[in-house]
Amino acid sequence: MDVTEILEALNPEQRAAVTAPPGSALVLAGAGSGKTRVLTQRIAWLVQTEGISPFGILAVTFTNKAAAEMRARIEAHLKMPLRGMWVGTFHGLAHRFLRAHWQDAGLDQNFQIIDADDQLRLVKRILSNLSIDDKKWPAKQAVWWINAQKDEGLRSNHIQNDGDLFLATHLSIYRAYEEACDRGGMVDFAELLLRTHETLLSHKALLQHYQDRFKAVLVDEFQDTNAIQYAWLRIITGQANKLMVVGDDDQSIYGWRGAKIENIQRFQDDYPQAVIYRLEQNYRSTGAILGAANALIENNDDRLGKQLWTDLGEGDPLSLYAAYNEIDEARYIVERIKTYFEGGHPYQDCAILYRSNAQSRVLEEALLRSQLPYRIYGGQRFFERAEIRSSLAYLKLISQRQSDAAFERVVNLPPRGIGDKSVQKIRDRARENQESLWQAASTLISSGELTSRATTAVSSFLKLIDDLDVATENLDLPHMVQETIDAAGLKPFYEREGGERGQARLENLEELIAAAETFDPEDLPLFDDGPQIEMTLLDEFLSHASLEAGEGRGEPNQDSVQMMTMHSAKGLEFPVVFLAGMEEGLFPHQMSVDEPGRMEEERRLCYVGLTRAMQKLHLTYAEARRLNGSDHYNRASRFVQEIPNTFVEEVRAHESIVRPAYETSHTVKRVSSEVEGTSFELGQKVGHAKFGEGVILNYEGQGQQARVQVKFEEAGTKWLMLSFAK
């Protein structure tokens, strides 16, 4: 695509951002405003018009999928392959940097990436070694704390122990964790960025090389960057005016995992020459949906500010359904999806979004009862599945005997008679001698310190790995994977599990072999800086699997209703969206009420949910909800109340609008009309344990399934189901 074609495809605001002179810029890109197009065409413009080499451009995004799409679009624009171009995720680019400069980084040449599960296993072992009670100090909490420190750029020696027991305990775990990783040549995901940042800071010539090389640096989803990622970007750009970031402060929803909305808010202070471009034309949603979203987000303070608009027309108003309870809410959603499907549309056009995973059970049951196919987006991914991780652990040991995480995972899987006591002896010896578990096991066998039974079992395991190393030496990758799975006995082990789950595991093992068949390291980005990276095909595959598992990319959709949390929905769009559970205490979550900044992030999350919808948006809430074993009676979410009535139509049961049986909101007209099958009647005074005294204004249904509208003196008007209302 030439320059003229690039410009013709853009609206005026996009064109201004794409054709801006080289320099720093902040592109505030609203939901559905075409930011990916702007990023890729900006790169093409820099190459074709500004004369910057594609290999002098650094482009960073957050997922491997997004990076691959960006690279493909750039290659299409420039009509040339760009394997040497630095386009990738923060973690992927840092990984390649460390492979090229492993000596400068103080790493082994064949360092191993450990994923979240391996990291958790290592921390559990450290807790045991330090005699720390895992019940009092959970390993998962320690992992979270360690990663949080790394995301802030902090090593254990940077943290002052002020006598606080929580801090002192986790600091001791962090120190032991660092030692174990250094000893085993292991690098976790947070370490990739931190180690890269430290290496650049401590090697001025290396830093100067990269600062000189990159003439332009572009970053997608900038609002999601954490402290170490932003620090890495700042040293790469140095004093030069060459950083363009694209993001949306209104879609910053990952504060709970370290993202800093402050990064985008302070960008202009750090880069005072930066120009702001606002992309406000939305190509996704109708006017009613955008009007609701704009009104909602205006309730947040400290916004950089923008107003989404569209030329797609006003569209249908949002439908608001006040359900009796969560079962009625699920019924309404299923009925609307069935109607949509019967109108000739696919199921996959419909998405059900919720704040908490605990909400999904009732929704799933309703879908199952109605025989509607559904898929939970964000479930366990391929490389995260237990059978895949075990297979990869065997392959890791073939390549790297010192991988403690791999050793511990499969030393007794399938069971081979190596008990916990024997494994603990191996751990103790490894800790005492500062060596790998593999070395410790070999030493214990030689010294005769294990029981005869344990000696036989451990020796058999070590011999299995050694024999596999020899047997697979001259095999191609798929046959290596096949031989390893067969020799390890994983297929009969999972066959014994039986049922659909066992069958699914066997199919996944076959899929792993297929993944090895299609794996091509040529598809991975290759950088030409520093010494040549020498990795075996197996190590390339293992690194690829670790990165994929860490990212958690979704699988291709079939025609099914899409279910997911609102966090998982970020970046997606659907013709029809249901936001379920729009109640105070659930969304916004009760924990967000008192914590500074949390309410605004909850509102941004709601904004993300609203702007996923293209044509039709349904908001539902339940007046009574049983969740986590308790009954909850909550009013509609404040987020519902913040949306102007002009954008909303209230739907009652069976799609009818129920009109009140009174004349004004101030006086009740007594109507001698009983609620059929009950002792209640319109105009009757009633009392409720939570809401106090009120008057019955209206009703639907009969008997204990009847639903009554009550105006309470303090709590306002509510619809309650008699069987729940008490």
Side-chain angles (χ1 to χ4, degrees):
M1 182 181 291
D2 61 27
V3 173
T4 303
E5 291 176 304
I6 289 177
L7 298 182
E8 287 178 350
L10 303 173
N11 66 37
E13 292 76 20
Q14 292 172 332
R15 189 178 303 121
V18 167
T19 62
S24 294
L26 168 59
V27 181
L28 281 177
S33 63
K35 67 180 178 61
T36 304
R37 169 186 288 182
V38 167
L39 264 176
T40 55
Q41 297 190 358
R42 170 65 172 173
I43 293 171
W45 175 269
L46 290 172
V47 173
Q48 294 177 330
T49 305
E50 301 293 344
I52 296 177
S53 165
F55 308 108
I57 295 173
L58 173 66
V60 192
T61 188
F62 271 82
T63 69
N64 289 327
K65 181 180 179 183
E69 289 177 356
M70 187 184 295
R71 191 180 298 110
R73 288 196 192 188
I74 295 168
E75 289 180 346
H77 288 323
L78 300 179
K79 299 178 181 177
M80 58 184 290
L82 298 171
R83 283 195 62 235
M85 188 176 180
W86 281 61
V87 177
T89 65
F90 279 103
H91 293 112
L93 294 174
H95 170 237
R96 301 303 296 190
F97 172 87
L98 293 176
R99 289 292 181 196
H101 304 288
W102 57 273
Q103 288 177 306
D104 292 327
L107 292 169
D108 294 335
Q109 184 172 10
N110 293 313
F111 68 84
Q112 297 294 308
I113 300 175
I114 59 172
D115 58 23
D117 194 53
D118 290 337
Q119 189 180 22
L120 182 62
R121 286 172 176 271
L122 177 58
V123 169
K124 284 182 176 179
R125 193 167 84 241
I126 287 168
L127 292 176
S128 176
N129 293 341
L130 296 177
S131 299
I132 294 175
D133 185 357
D134 190 13
K135 293 181 180 178
K136 186 176 181 181
W137 305 99
K140 285 186 177 180
Q141 183 183 58
V143 167
W144 174 86
W145 191 86
I146 289 170
N147 289 340
Q149 307 317 304
K150 290 190 176 188
D151 285 345
E152 292 293 327
L154 299 174
R155 296 286 185 197
S156 62
N157 60 355
H158 296 151
I159 303 169
Q160 292 292 328
N161 182 0
D162 60 3
D164 177 77
L165 181 60
F166 179 90
L167 177 61
T169 302
H170 285 92
L171 196 51
S172 66
I173 297 169
Y174 190 10
R175 290 194 192 100
Y177 176 80
E178 287 178 318
E179 293 171 1
C181 287
D182 289 343
R183 185 171 66 248
M186 296 178 289
V187 174
D188 60 43
F189 269 70
E191 181 72 18
L192 290 170
L193 264 294
L194 178 56
R195 186 70 65 112
T196 297
H197 183 253
E198 291 173 340
T199 303
L200 288 168
L201 281 180
S202 60
H203 294 79
K204 301 302 181 185
L206 191 61
L207 175 59
Q208 189 66 51
H209 164 75
Y210 283 103
Q211 287 179 342
D212 291 343
R213 175 193 176 125
F214 296 128
K215 308 302 181 186
V217 179
L218 300 96
V219 186
D220 192 13
E221 302 288 4
F222 183 67
Q223 78 281 348
D224 293 336
T225 53
N226 61 29
I228 194 64
Q229 288 165 343
Y230 188 34
W232 183 76
L233 290 169
R234 292 198 67 189
I235 64 167
I236 283 289
T237 53
Q239 299 301 312
N241 185 33
K242 59 185 178 183
L243 177 61
M244 174 180 274
V245 299
V246 181
D248 183 0
D249 57 326
D250 291 334
Q251 295 189 74
S252 179
I253 60 173
Y254 297 118
W256 51 276
R257 69 181 191 195
K260 300 283 188 182
I261 191 173
E262 297 91 337
N263 291 347
I264 194 169
Q265 292 173 337
R266 79 181 211 199
F267 181 80
Q268 281 187 293
D269 294 331
D270 295 334
Y271 295 88
Q273 294 175 302
V275 180
I276 292 185
Y277 300 92
R278 286 178 168 82
L279 306 185
E280 297 174 303
Q281 183 175 359
N282 176 283
Y283 293 92
R284 173 190 300 156
S285 306
T286 63
I289 293 169
L290 297 181
N294 286 333
L296 171 83
I297 203 64
E298 282 175 358
N299 290 279
N300 272 2
D301 296 326
D302 300 322
R303 295 175 60 232
L304 296 174
K306 64 184 177 315
Q307 282 282 113
L308 296 180
W309 62 275
T310 184
D311 58 11
L312 298 177
E314 188 65 10
D316 295 335
L318 284 63
S319 293
L320 174 64
Y321 183 70
Y324 310 153
N325 54 27
E326 71 274 19
I327 297 172
D328 182 39
E329 178 185 51
R331 176 203 58 77
Y332 168 80
I333 292 172
V334 168
E335 283 184 358
R336 300 311 304 147
I337 292 173
K338 287 170 70 175
T339 300
Y340 185 79
F341 180 74
E342 289 164 0
H345 304 283
Y347 287 121
Q348 66 188 20
D349 280 3
C350 300
I352 308 172
L353 312 184
Y354 36 82
R355 177 64 180 86
S356 167
N357 271 313
Q359 292 172 249
S360 73
R361 181 185 62 84
V362 174
L363 293 163
E364 288 185 68
E365 287 179 355
L367 290 164
L368 286 169
R369 279 195 303 270
S370 299
Q371 297 184 316
L372 267 62
Y374 70 91
R375 171 178 174 266
I376 296 183
Y377 185 93
Q380 204 170 42
R381 281 27 173 210
F382 181 76
F383 284 110
E384 295 174 326
R385 295 169 187 165
E387 60 276 12
I388 300 304
R389 295 169 57 77
S390 297
S391 302
L392 294 174
Y394 275 104
L395 290 165
K396 261 188 186 177
L397 283 177
I398 293 172
S399 173
Q400 299 293 327
R401 301 293 200 279
Q402 73 268 28
S403 176
D404 288 353
F407 183 99
E408 190 152 8
R409 183 177 186 89
V410 296
V411 65
N412 198 40
L413 191 149
R416 50 177 56 90
I418 303 175
D420 291 341
K421 288 185 178 179
S422 298
V423 174
Q424 189 58 50
K425 278 188 178 180
I426 297 171
R427 291 181 188 134
D428 293 341
R429 173 57 63 96
R431 186 182 73 254
E432 291 166 6
N433 294 345
Q434 296 291 292
E435 59 189 8
S436 68
L437 294 177
W438 179 278
Q439 292 170 314
S442 301
T443 302
L444 288 173
I445 291 170
S446 302
S447 63
E449 294 180 50
L450 295 174
T451 65
S452 58
R453 180 180 176 184
T455 297
T456 300
V458 175
S459 297
S460 175
F461 173 68
L462 300 186
K463 185 176 185 300
L464 169 64
I465 301 301
D466 286 335
D467 289 346
L468 269 172
D469 195 358
V470 174
T472 59
E473 185 175 3
N474 297 316
L475 295 180
D476 58 20
L477 185 61
H479 284 96
M480 182 184 293
V481 176
Q482 173 90 60
E483 178 67 20
T484 300
I485 290 172
D486 291 342
L490 292 175
K491 284 186 176 178
F493 172 65
Y494 290 118
E495 277 176 351
R496 288 194 292 273
E497 187 172 343
E500 292 183 3
R501 188 173 182 181
Q503 182 60 37
R505 292 191 191 278
L506 294 174
E507 291 171 358
N508 287 335
L509 293 179
E510 292 297 331
E511 187 61 27
L512 180 62
I513 298 168
E517 289 174 349
T518 58
F519 176 70
D520 184 358
E522 293 293 313
D523 293 335
L524 301 176
L526 178 65
F527 308 135
D528 57 1
D529 294 286
Q532 291 297 309
I533 304 170
E534 295 183 4
M535 293 180 70
T536 66
L537 185 61
L538 175 57
D539 284 334
E540 290 272 14
F541 182 63
L542 291 171
S543 293
H544 164 72
S546 295
L547 289 168
E548 287 291 297
E551 182 194 340
R553 188 174 61 190
E555 298 171 357
N557 292 343
Q558 59 178 1
D559 184 26
S560 55
V561 177
Q562 307 296 298
M563 296 177 62
M564 67 199 74
T565 64
M566 292 190 206
H567 282 101
S568 297
K570 175 82 163 30
L572 304 177
E573 59 183 35
F574 306 93
V576 180
V577 169
F578 298 84
L579 299 191
M582 298 293 293
E583 302 144 33
E584 285 291 301
L586 184 58
F587 191 39
H589 196 280
Q590 188 59 45
M591 291 190 300
S592 70
V593 175
D594 301 320
E595 190 173 333
R598 281 288 297 275
M599 183 59 70
E600 293 206 337
E601 182 159 316
E602 288 280 291
R603 187 174 284 107
R604 292 194 294 269
L605 183 59
C606 186
Y607 175 83
V608 167
L610 295 176
T611 54
R612 298 313 93 195
M614 301 168 70
Q615 299 164 9
K616 181 63 182 178
L617 179 59
H618 299 260
L619 308 178
T620 65
Y621 68 95
E623 290 163 347
R625 182 182 299 276
R626 188 164 183 81
L627 194 63
N628 300 326
S630 301
D631 291 324
H632 299 265
Y633 301 92
N634 296 319
R635 66 181 187 274
S637 168
R638 70 188 68 189
F639 301 151
V640 172
Q641 299 169 27
E642 289 169 359
I643 297 174
N645 291 335
T646 53
F647 300 118
V648 180
E649 65 175 6
E650 190 168 1
V651 181
R652 287 301 183 189
H654 308 298
E655 302 299 303
S656 61
I657 304 298
V658 179
R659 302 199 176 277
Y662 56 92
E663 293 179 338
T664 73
S665 59
H666 302 289
T667 60
V668 175
K669 180 181 178 181
R670 181 68 181 245
V671 181
S672 61
S673 175
E674 293 184 353
V675 180
E676 189 176 348
T678 75
S679 59
F680 296 103
E681 62 180 3
L682 297 181
Q684 179 179 343
K685 288 186 176 181
V686 293
H688 188 277
K690 180 176 180 180
F691 302 132
E693 292 187 349
V695 176
I696 297 177
L697 303 178
N698 200 1
Y699 74 91
E700 299 170 348
Q702 58 186 354
Q704 285 301 299
Q705 298 305 308
R707 185 172 181 253
V708 295
Q709 185 185 43
V710 182
K711 183 180 180 183
F712 293 101
E713 293 178 2
E714 295 183 0
T717 302
K718 294 185 176 295
W719 282 89
L720 302 174
M721 195 169 181
L722 287 179
S723 58
F724 284 89
K726 300 179 182 179

